[in-house]
Amino acid sequence: MRIKSFSYFTLLLFLTVSMHAQNAKKKEDIAAIKSMCGCYEVQFNFAETFQYPKDSISYTKSKTNHDKGIEWVELLEDQPNKLSLQHLLIVGPSEDAIVKHWRQDWLYENNNLLSYSKEDSWKIKKINAQKTKGQWTQKVFQVDDSPRYEGSATWVHYDGRHYWENTTDAPLPRREYTKRNDYNVFKRTNVHEITATGWIHDQDNIKINRNDKEEDYILAEEKGRNIYTKIADSKCKTAQDWWYKNKILWNKIRSEWEIVLQKNKDIKIKNSINDLTLFDQFKNLNNESSQEEIRTIISSYLIN
């Protein structure tokens, strides 16, 4: 009886300590994700590193890209198992010069991934709950709040470093999709690392040509390094004001997309209708636009 009693209390103590450790780890994860919010001066750096074209004579290497900007990252949702961050790029001194940039949602122990296939289509991928235990899924969305790419991994806090790393397929980046037609899938290895001065989005990317008849063909590789340096929030006031004036509309758009995504079904989206992208359609809306109008627009771009 003494052995059984000792074993029971030992197990109880172990479970209690384990639960406290898990809760502490989750709090550290949340703090890391939230630290990406605020006002940043950003350096966007991309360089094609290796090429494997079938025709090396006619192949044109992508130009090395160095850009700078100021970006405001707004915390949209702050829930125990979900954080949502909206990026707003400032390209000029007035509110007319605000670009609604990408959005990143973070879900804790999420088991459903929307995995990019090719040609603006995504397939539902279910992951075993044991594999995602303690992990965070980063869901990245495009400027029109449609899906872009998703991946699940563990935030690591070790030896003074705080980072999250994942590899996943994605559509072509905006800097390339209007210029390149020799590949159709962008396999991204994303590392988000918190630093003393802000954070870094480090990337090792592979440009892939994918079709249903052959194995994936790797065209080239690319290195990306976006450096976010924290600056005073006051320097992002135009972006903050823009979001305050437009957030009702984008909250409506986001909620309509949420209805679509919660069905956990494969998705294929039309690139344009009458030469208008989905984002072009949203430009004609305002805070007074109805949910039904937004729903109708989104539905018209979805291919059943």
Side-chain angles (χ1 to χ4, degrees), residues 48-302:
E48 198 170 277
T49 53
F50 303 103
Q51 300 83 34
Y52 316 99
K54 294 179 179 178
D55 183 357
S56 59
I57 296 176
S58 63
Y59 181 76
T60 301
K61 176 183 175 181
S62 294
K63 292 182 179 180
T64 297
N65 184 291
H66 296 292
D67 283 324
K68 288 184 178 181
I70 294 178
E71 193 152 274
W72 173 251
V73 185
E74 175 85 12
L75 182 62
L76 301 183
E77 291 188 56
D78 184 3
Q79 301 178 25
N81 294 320
K82 181 182 179 182
L83 299 165
S84 182
L85 286 62
Q86 176 65 59
H87 291 241
L88 299 168
L89 186 63
I90 301 173
V91 294
S94 69
E95 289 180 31
D96 292 334
I98 302 300
V99 174
K100 181 184 175 294
H101 213 187
W102 59 298
R103 187 180 104 235
Q104 49 173 326
D105 285 2
W106 293 86
L107 274 63
Y108 188 65
E109 296 185 345
N110 166 63
N111 300 321
N112 292 313
L113 285 180
L114 200 56
S115 178
Y116 187 69
S117 176
K118 63 181 189 309
E119 275 88 51
D120 297 315
S121 62
W122 293 257
K123 296 183 181 297
I124 282 293
K125 179 182 178 182
K126 295 189 178 296
I127 307 176
N128 186 285
Q130 277 299 115
K131 187 175 181 180
T132 61
K133 189 171 180 60
Q135 290 190 350
W136 289 85
T137 293
Q138 184 202 41
K139 294 175 174 277
V140 172
F141 298 86
Q142 313 204 69
V143 294
D144 54 18
D145 280 332
S146 62
R148 187 160 181 77
Y149 61 86
E150 303 181 1
S152 182
T154 303
W155 271 92
V156 176
H157 311 284
Y158 182 75
D159 199 21
R161 295 183 62 191
H162 308 272
Y163 66 93
W164 178 96
E165 180 176 349
N166 175 261
T167 301
T168 191
D169 291 346
L172 271 63
R174 291 178 62 82
R175 65 184 181 278
E176 295 253 289
Y177 80 88
T178 57
K179 301 175 183 177
R180 307 295 298 244
N181 59 10
D182 51 357
Y183 75 100
N184 60 350
V185 176
F186 200 61
K187 182 179 287 292
R188 314 175 58 116
T189 295
N190 296 300
V191 180
H192 294 268
E193 180 160 1
I194 310 305
T195 67
T197 57
W199 57 287
I200 293 173
H201 183 188
D202 200 68
Q203 303 169 48
D204 287 291
N205 304 316
I206 301 175
K207 301 177 181 182
I208 294 174
N209 199 303
R210 177 175 294 167
N211 61 60
D212 295 330
K213 298 179 181 179
E214 303 172 303
E215 290 186 4
D216 286 357
Y217 168 67
I218 296 177
L219 178 69
E221 297 183 44
E222 176 194 83
K223 181 64 184 180
R225 189 170 176 84
N226 299 340
I227 303 170
Y228 290 74
T229 302
K230 193 74 182 289
I231 57 177
D233 286 355
S234 58
K235 293 186 177 181
C236 286
K237 188 177 185 305
T238 53
Q240 297 166 37
D241 292 344
W242 185 94
W243 182 252
Y244 181 78
K245 292 179 180 178
N246 294 278
K247 66 180 180 179
I248 293 176
L249 169 62
W250 287 103
N251 286 345
K252 291 178 181 179
I253 292 171
R254 197 166 67 253
S255 67
E256 286 302 324
W257 269 118
E258 194 65 26
I259 293 172
V260 174
L261 298 175
Q262 283 181 350
K263 294 177 182 178
N264 287 326
K265 293 183 178 180
D266 296 350
I267 291 177
K268 186 172 178 60
I269 301 174
K270 297 176 185 176
N271 184 264
S272 64
I273 297 176
N274 298 325
D275 293 326
L276 292 175
T277 66
L278 181 56
F279 189 68
D280 291 333
Q281 300 279 12
F282 289 157
K283 288 178 182 178
N284 298 321
L285 304 181
N286 54 49
N287 287 338
E288 284 69 46
S289 298
S290 68
Q291 293 288 159
E292 183 178 357
E293 183 179 4
I294 295 168
R295 186 178 307 123
T296 300
I297 291 174
I298 291 176
S299 297
S300 69
Y301 280 79
L302 294 175

